[in-house]
Amino acid sequence: MGNTAAIAVARVWLDAGGKTWTTDGQPGSTKVIVGQAFEDDQHMAIDLTDEGISSIVAKLRLVKAREQSNFAMGGTLSIDGVGAWAVTCPEP
């Protein structure tokens, strides 16, 4: 397993359950802050908090797999009080 490193998240936009959350505070959305974001060669984890950094609004958890030239990444996204979903990501 490789080193775990903090990662920089440029922008987040979530739309679920008739609500929208963004890191840049778009009109009509609820502003969220990247509370933590970590990645290593096997996992990625990103937590979004409310603007006051008092509670976690959403959690993204991904697992990575690589074999020869093939790569796959998938996991879960959960949004507090709204729901949870399976997530798959295309190759980088």
Side-chain angles (χ1 to χ4, degrees), residues 32-52:
V32 290
I33 306 294
V34 177
Q36 66 175 356
F38 298 99
E39 181 176 25
D40 63 22
D41 60 342
Q42 295 181 6
H43 303 95
M44 180 187 295
I46 300 172
D47 289 347
L48 302 174
T49 69
D50 61 7
E51 197 169 7

Side-chain angles (χ1 to χ4, degrees), residues 68-89:
Q68 296 183 2
S69 64
N70 298 310
F71 177 81
M73 186 164 55
T76 60
L77 169 67
S78 60
I79 302 175
D80 187 47
V82 179
W85 300 269
V87 175
T88 58
C89 303

Side-chain angles (χ1 to χ4, degrees), residues 16-31:
K19 300 177 184 176
T20 302
W21 299 263
T22 63
T23 50
D24 53 7
Q26 291 288 322
S29 71
T30 300
K31 185 168 180 159

